[in-house]
């Protein structure tokens, strides 16, 4: 089933990682989806997903393709962004610098420490979501403009800064589409008031 | 509260490796080169398949010392191989906290009848398959990721192509059957009927499928992606070539841009000689590794 031609066009960074699951979730919600591999793919996007994957691989890919500056420009234009797991890392100060956070990589440990759990995000209607943490990071430090939406064992794992939502887990591996609905501006989360641009 | 080792968590890591290249490495130095070239994971082992083939003898799990050495120098996932059916080697690898265990035909099988019961582990497993029946048997035993087997250590892509086409072709065939025909299909495939039903209705495997065994060039990697692989394992192809860092980067780039021939052309330039290759069809049946496992 194709999306309507006037449906929002969302880009999913597709250099490496779990981009297909995000694509599936967005298509389920009727969005048009474009895989992003080169700067030209950013043209006309109305939203962006930076998926999970290996952050080192993604960092090198962004460098190889010259995507860092074009990605920053797209985000500066005010589109909504969802980053999950490695996507959260890419958004932090030491990578794309789009959020005032510092991510701690593989913070929960190696794969055998990976886990799933029920997690309530501040302001997310409909109760907790099933959060899949895979070699996941957490947010070690967050600036004043950042609103932490959820924590695990005292460590922030979901945060919003303006139009950018970063989560350390994978909601796209479940059938819960609420975060993608938010990306499509169809659903609420805490932190809207904190957004001033 | 925290559910560890669930199938979602195991299969989820493979989901995050998609579109990437997993490289065989035998030293921490090689692991660093692989990581800096953009590998999404490394496979830590003592000898690459080309050397296992040359040396002969029994090939076993690697020395924990060398696996730990590699874990210490990279942040990307580290995988390691256990012999088919050798569940104690797998327990050792789990104790070392490797991120994935490859129950691999590249090592000498330890059990001629039984693969490892992979449900009994917290660490996820990847297994090889030549056809759909083999793939579904491995999933039935708890594998959370699959790779087509190909013929490791040859640098000859023909077996990888054969196995990938076999798996995807058999999946397509299942989707054309009526529900009443699936029990018989399961019997022919020697696969669990629930998994056969699942594949028939979804048109895909329930876990991520990579390819392995024979990839030597960027074009080989792109070919396998075009045939349905969701990522590639490169064993001997990188560190047995003239210029491993350049070849590793080029294969990573080709795996991302497999649909773009111009990018493949530029990625393939000036890489020096590929690994010394063996034609699979010239190998005697006992030299073929893909026949191990069932």
């Amino acid at each position: 089933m194709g999306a309507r031609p006037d449906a929002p066009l969302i880009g999913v960074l597709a250099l490496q990682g779990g981009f297909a699951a995000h694509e599936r979730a967005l298509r389920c919600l009727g969005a048009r989806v474009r895989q992003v591999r080169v700067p030209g793919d950013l043209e006309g996007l109305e939203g962006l997903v930076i998926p999970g994957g290996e952050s080192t691989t993604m960092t090198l890919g962004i460098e190889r393709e010259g995507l860092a500056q074009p990605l920053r420009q797209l985000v500066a234009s005010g589109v909504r962004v969802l980053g999950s797991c490695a996507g959260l890392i890419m958004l932090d100060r030491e990578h794309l610098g789009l959020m005032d956070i510092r991510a701690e990589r593989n913070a929960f440990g190696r794969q055998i420490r990976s886990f799933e759990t029920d997690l309530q995000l501040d302001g997310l209607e409909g109760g907790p979501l099933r959060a899949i943490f895979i070699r996941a990071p957490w947010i070690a430090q967050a600036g004043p403009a950042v609103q932490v939406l959820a924590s695990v064992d005292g460590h922030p794992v979901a945060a919003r800064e303006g139009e950018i939502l970063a989560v350390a887990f994978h909601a796209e591996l479940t059938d819960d589409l609420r975060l993608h609905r938010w990306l499509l501006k169809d659903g609420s989360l805490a932190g809207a008031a904190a957004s001033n641009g | 509260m925290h559910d560890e080792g669930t199938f979602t968590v195991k299969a989820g890591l493979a989901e995050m490796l998609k579109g990437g290249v997993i490289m065989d490495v035998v030293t921490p130095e090689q692991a660093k080169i692989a990581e800096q070239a953009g590998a999404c994971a490394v496979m830590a082992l003592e000898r690459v398949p080309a050397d296992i083939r040359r040396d002969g003898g029994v090939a076993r799990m690697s020395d924990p010392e060398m696996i730990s050495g590699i874990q210490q120098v990279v942040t990307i996932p580290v995988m390691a191989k256990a012999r088919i059916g050798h569940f104690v080697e797998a327990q050792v690898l789990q104790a070392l906290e490797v991120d994935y265990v490859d129950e691999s035909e590249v090592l000498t099988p330890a059990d001629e009848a039984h693969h490892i019961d992979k449900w009994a582990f917290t660490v996820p497993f990847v297994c090889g398959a030549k056809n759909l029946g083999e793939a579904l048997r491995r999933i039935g035993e708890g594998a959370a990721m699959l790779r087509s087997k190909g013929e490791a250590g040859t640098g000859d892509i023909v077996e990888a192509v054969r196995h990938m086409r076999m798996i995807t072709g058999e999946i397509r065939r299942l989707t054309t059957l009526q529900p009443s025909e699936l029990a018989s299909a399961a019997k022919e495939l020697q696969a669990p009927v629930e998994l056969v039903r699942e594949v028939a209705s979804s048109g895909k495997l329930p876990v991520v499928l990579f390819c392995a065994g024979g990839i030597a060039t960027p074009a080989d990697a792109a070919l396998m992606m075009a045939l349905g692989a969701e990522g590639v394992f490169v064993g001997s192809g990188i560190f047995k070539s003239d210029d491993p860092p350049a070849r590793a980067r080029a294969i990573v780039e080709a795996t991302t841009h497999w649909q773009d021939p111009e990018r493949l052309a530029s990625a393939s330039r000036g890489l020096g000689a590929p690994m010394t290759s063996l034609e699979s069809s010239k190998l005697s049946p006992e030299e073929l590794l893909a026949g191990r496992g069932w």
Side-chain angles (χ1 to χ4, degrees), chain A residues 16-17 65 113 116 130 135, chain B residues 3 6 75 97 257 263:
Chain A
Q16 188 273 323
E65 306 299 334
R113 311 276 169 232
E116 48 182 300
R130 193 69 180 161
R135 290 170 40 91
Chain B
D3 296 326
T6 63
T75 59
E97 300 196 359
H257 294 287
R263 288 296 295 265

Side-chain angles (χ1 to χ4, degrees), chain A residues 15-18 37 53-54 57 60 65 105-106 110-117 130 134-135 153 170, chain B residues 1-4 6 8-9 12-13 15-18 35-36 38-40 75 77 97 99 256-257 263:
Chain A
L15 294 170
Q16 188 273 323
R37 293 189 175 83
E54 278 313 309
T57 308
L60 292 165
E65 306 299 334
R105 297 175 56 201
N106 301 341
R110 299 185 195 278
Q111 172 63 12
I112 60 167
R113 311 276 169 232
S114 292
F115 63 96
E116 48 182 300
T117 190
R130 193 69 180 161
I134 296 174
R135 290 170 40 91
D153 303 337
H170 302 278
Chain B
M1 174 74 184
H2 289 198
D3 296 326
E4 293 180 350
T6 63
T8 305
V9 160
L13 177 55
E15 199 70 33
M16 298 311 138
L17 298 173
K18 273 186 180 177
E35 182 175 59
Q36 284 161 6
C40 67
T75 59
E97 300 196 359
D99 295 294
T256 297
H257 294 287
R263 288 296 295 265

Side-chain angles (χ1 to χ4, degrees), chain B residues 22-287:
Chain B
I22 300 168
M23 302 181 191
D24 278 5
V25 297
V26 301
T27 62
E29 294 69 35
Q30 288 187 354
K32 278 311 275 187
I33 291 171
E35 182 175 59
Q36 284 161 6
C40 67
V42 291
M43 178 74 68
L45 72 179
E46 274 169 359
R47 291 176 292 171
V48 295
D51 289 337
I52 291 175
R53 205 174 263 296
R54 190 199 58 208
D55 297 350
V58 174
R60 308 180 179 86
M61 176 188 81
S62 297
D63 182 347
E65 183 79 13
M66 76 78 67
I67 295 171
S68 300
I70 286 170
Q71 286 174 313
Q72 279 159 20
V73 300
V74 295
T75 59
I76 56 178
V78 175
M79 302 183 167
K81 290 182 194 288
R83 282 179 271 180
I84 289 173
H86 205 314
F87 55 87
V88 173
E89 283 188 349
Q91 287 166 357
V92 171
L93 293 175
Q94 175 165 284
L96 292 171
E97 300 196 359
V98 303
D99 295 294
Y100 243 94
V101 174
D102 182 4
E103 186 182 18
S104 178
E105 70 283 0
V106 167
L107 305 183
T108 312
D111 190 322
E112 295 183 325
H114 307 285
H115 281 251
I116 297 170
D117 171 18
K118 292 165 274 286
W119 296 112
F121 288 78
T122 305
V123 70
F125 282 74
V126 56
C127 290
K130 301 184 294 295
N131 53 51
L132 182 59
E134 201 175 357
L136 296 181
R137 288 194 291 280
R138 296 297 84 81
I139 296 169
E141 295 156 1
M145 178 180 185
L146 288 170
R147 52 178 173 75
S148 55
K149 280 181 172 175
E151 191 53 37
T154 60
D156 185 353
I157 198 69
V158 68
E159 294 299 312
V161 169
R162 185 199 315 282
H163 299 156
M164 186 57 70
R165 281 200 185 273
M166 180 64 84
I167 293 168
T168 55
E170 288 178 319
I171 292 173
R172 275 195 302 278
R173 180 178 160 269
L174 277 190
T175 64
T176 67
L177 298 184
Q178 295 180 340
S180 62
E181 297 171 318
L182 293 175
S184 162
K187 188 178 153 204
E188 278 168 35
L189 290 167
Q190 299 180 42
V193 69
E194 302 76 30
L195 290 173
V196 169
R197 285 205 187 94
E198 190 178 339
V199 171
S201 89
S202 71
K204 58 190 266 314
L205 289 173
V207 302
V208 169
L209 173 65
F210 269 47
C211 82
I215 291 113
T217 69
D220 287 345
L223 173 68
M224 297 314 299
M225 295 296 284
L227 291 176
E230 296 178 292
V232 300
F233 283 87
V234 186
S236 320
I238 289 169
F239 289 98
K240 286 287 171 186
S241 75
D242 269 5
D243 187 350
R247 187 162 293 264
R249 279 195 304 274
I251 292 178
V252 168
E253 189 172 342
T255 303
T256 297
H257 294 287
W258 59 273
Q259 292 159 294
D260 184 343
E262 285 176 23
R263 288 296 295 265
L264 297 177
S266 68
S268 304
R269 270 172 209 275
L271 300 178
M275 65 180 282
T276 306
S277 305
L278 294 169
E279 210 177 322
S280 304
S281 59
K282 303 276 164 61
L283 296 173
S284 64
E286 57 273 21
E287 289 176 298

Side-chain angles (χ1 to χ4, degrees), chain A residues 107-171:
Chain A
F108 289 95
R110 299 185 195 278
Q111 172 63 12
I112 60 167
R113 311 276 169 232
S114 292
F115 63 96
E116 48 182 300
T117 190
D118 292 330
L119 190 69
Q120 178 63 53
L121 265 61
D122 245 5
L124 182 68
E125 287 166 9
L129 48 70
R130 193 69 180 161
I132 320 290
F133 289 83
I134 296 174
R135 290 170 40 91
W138 63 48
I139 297 170
Q141 216 182 35
V146 177
Q147 185 165 15
V148 171
L149 303 180
S151 296
V152 167
D153 303 337
H155 303 286
V157 292
R160 177 172 182 185
E161 183 174 351
E163 295 297 296
I164 307 177
L165 172 64
V167 297
F169 53 86
H170 302 278

